[in-house]
Amino acid sequence: MKKILILAVSLALLTACGAEKNAGASTNASANIESNKANVSTNAQTNNKKENGEIAGQEANQNASLDIQKTITSKADAFNKYMELHPNSNVNEFSFEANKKKNVVTFEIEGYDAENKYEVNLNAEDLSVIKDKTKRGKTDDTRVIVGAMLEAIDSLVEEAAKDVGADYSLFKASLSFDDGKLELELEFENASGQDIEYTYDVANSKLIEKDA
């Protein structure tokens, strides 16, 4: 009788242990499943964020390129805005550039008079003043860019754009003097970040250099 009782108790204990093991295994399995689901969800969200970020970056780059094309038509207004800020001064450098991080196009105009040097940055969208810096000091510079010279930009941008192809967009143009010669530097960039630069002699519209 004692043997039977002991055997019954042993069986009961074994059954209980087995149930606990099964319960533990079931709990672990459920935890693993939930963990896997969480990982899959997290990975999916991360991938979506990356894709959205890349798309947003591409859209920003495209928008900046479109804006700078519009900027070409407002360059005369930017020149006149500078002259309003600093009348009777001379312009010796005129440029505009697409800032892809801020998705904005800005004019950068430098000039001088008998007593000061000036540096003006304008928002191309509304010609609002971003920076207007004056540095006192005489200069020996006698080089002058007049408004009529800006007209050369249009045809040279068109010529370079045809050569570089549709995969590239203009994002910077700079009109300045080099050894007394007025030059136009144009920089194009594609979606991969590769750039091609063109340098023209404004006086005769001839290509000086192409740097790929």
Side-chain angles (χ1 to χ4, degrees), residues 47-141:
N47 290 334
N48 287 336
K49 288 180 180 179
K50 288 181 179 179
E51 291 176 359
N52 292 336
E54 290 173 357
I55 292 172
Q58 292 171 0
E59 290 177 348
N61 187 26
Q62 292 171 355
N63 290 337
S65 299
L66 292 173
D67 289 344
I68 202 168
Q69 296 296 344
K70 295 178 182 178
T71 300
I72 297 176
T73 63
S74 62
K75 60 190 181 299
D77 293 334
F79 187 91
N80 293 334
K81 178 69 174 182
Y82 168 87
M83 296 307 299
E84 290 176 9
L85 295 170
H86 302 289
N88 302 318
S89 67
N90 298 312
V91 173
N92 60 354
E93 185 169 341
F94 183 95
S95 64
F96 50 91
E97 180 176 0
N99 186 322
K100 291 178 285 186
K101 291 183 179 180
K102 297 182 179 180
N103 194 28
V104 64
V105 179
T106 58
F107 287 103
E108 298 179 7
I109 306 172
E110 296 184 13
Y112 64 93
D113 58 23
E115 298 180 351
N116 302 302
K117 298 177 182 179
Y118 306 102
E119 184 178 348
V120 175
N121 289 4
L122 304 173
N123 186 321
E125 183 176 357
D126 55 8
L127 296 183
S128 58
V129 178
I130 299 173
K131 180 173 72 173
D132 186 0
K133 182 179 179 181
T134 299
K135 183 178 180 180
R136 295 192 61 83
K138 294 183 179 181
T139 176
D140 296 329
D141 199 344

Side-chain angles (χ1 to χ4, degrees), residues 5-22:
L5 182 58
I6 291 172
L7 181 58
V9 171
S10 299
L11 289 172
L13 290 173
L14 289 173
T15 302
C17 290
E20 290 178 357
K21 289 181 180 179
N22 290 335

Side-chain angles (χ1 to χ4, degrees), residues 150-197:
L150 303 179
E151 297 176 1
I153 296 177
D154 295 351
S155 59
L156 295 178
V157 167
E158 183 178 354
E159 178 181 325
K162 289 180 180 179
D163 180 74
V164 76
D167 292 336
Y168 286 79
S169 299
L170 175 69
F171 79 93
K172 184 176 182 180
S174 178
L175 193 64
S176 61
F177 289 93
D178 185 15
D179 292 332
K181 180 168 55 180
L182 185 61
E183 296 182 351
L184 175 65
E185 295 183 359
L186 303 174
E187 191 165 349
F188 293 79
E189 188 177 84
N190 64 14
S192 301
Q194 297 174 318
D195 60 80
I196 299 178
E197 297 180 15

